[in-house]
Every structure is written in structure tokens, then in C-alpha cells.
Amino acid sequence: MLGEFREFIMKGDVLDLAVGVVIGSAFTAIVKQVVDGLITPLVGLVISLIPGTTNGNLEDTLNILDVKFRGVTFQFGDVISAIITFIITGFVLFLVVRAANRAKNLREKPVVVVEKTPTSEDYLAEIRDLLKAQANEKN
């Protein structure tokens, strides 16, 4: 059983998946920080420009999206932040997979060298050159 498990773990697919999960989680942390540090404040700035919101704190400005119902707070600002994080992460991963697929397709396709097919003019020029060479040999 241990031998089978070792063989399973050592397969390339499992190792590739493990590396992908680790890199994906690190990448998600970067995207989350970009969203929390840049995009969310920009959204808060836009919301703070709405008339009637005079609060200068962007964190509190995003709370305008929160809804309280019978003592329960629904934090729509956090949901919007998570959706933005998901969209950015998905888009960047799409670009990475697209680039990898293109590289794989280029590697798999054999390079075909297309030679120029001779035209009638090419044949006539060759005949002319041969006739000239024969005439020069006779002289």
C-alpha cells in the first residue's frame, strides 16, 4: 500500500497540481491585497463623492453599502470586495493558461518549410543559362 501511495504521489500530475495549489494560494493573497489596498479604497472614494456622504474615512464610507435588518448586518462591501478579487484572479489565471496553451501548441506543431514552386519563367531562365553555357563551351 505504501508503494502504491508513493507511486501515486510521484506522478507528474499530482506534483503539478500541488505546485499549482501553492502558487494559486500565494497569488490569491497578492490579488486580495491589491483589492483591499487599492481597489476597495477607490470604490470608497467614488462612493464618498455621492452627495450626502460627508464622512472622510473610506472604511466607514464603504459601510454605506451595509444593510442592517433586525440587528443583523449584511456586509455588501465585503461581498463586492470578494467578487472583485475573484474576477481579477480568474482573469489573470485565464491569461496564464492561455499563454501556456499557446506555448504548448507552438511546441507541438512541426515547422513546415514551404519551398517556392518554380514558375515557367524560372524554367526558361534556367534553359537560357544552360544554352549560354553550351555556347561558351563550343567557342
Side-chain angles (χ1 to χ4, degrees), residues 37-79:
L38 298 174
I39 295 175
T40 301
L42 286 174
V43 171
L45 179 63
V46 170
I47 292 173
S48 70
L49 297 175
I50 297 172
T53 56
T54 58
N55 191 350
N57 185 355
L58 296 179
E59 185 75 27
D60 292 336
T61 303
L62 284 179
N63 290 340
I64 199 171
L65 298 175
D66 295 346
V67 175
K68 288 189 177 186
F69 181 71
R70 293 189 182 197
V72 177
T73 303
F74 295 94
Q75 298 174 333
F76 289 105
D78 292 344
V79 172

Side-chain angles (χ1 to χ4, degrees), residues 63-118:
N63 290 340
I64 199 171
L65 298 175
D66 295 346
V67 175
K68 288 189 177 186
F69 181 71
R70 293 189 182 197
V72 177
T73 303
F74 295 94
Q75 298 174 333
F76 289 105
D78 292 344
V79 172
I80 290 173
S81 177
I83 290 171
I84 292 171
T85 302
F86 174 77
I87 289 171
I88 292 172
T89 304
F91 181 70
V92 172
L93 288 178
F94 164 75
L95 293 177
V96 168
V97 169
R98 183 177 172 208
N101 286 339
R102 284 189 177 183
K104 183 179 176 182
N105 287 340
L106 289 176
R107 189 176 28 179
E108 290 176 353
K109 290 181 182 177
V111 176
V112 178
V113 177
V114 178
E115 293 183 19
K116 178 184 167 190
T117 57

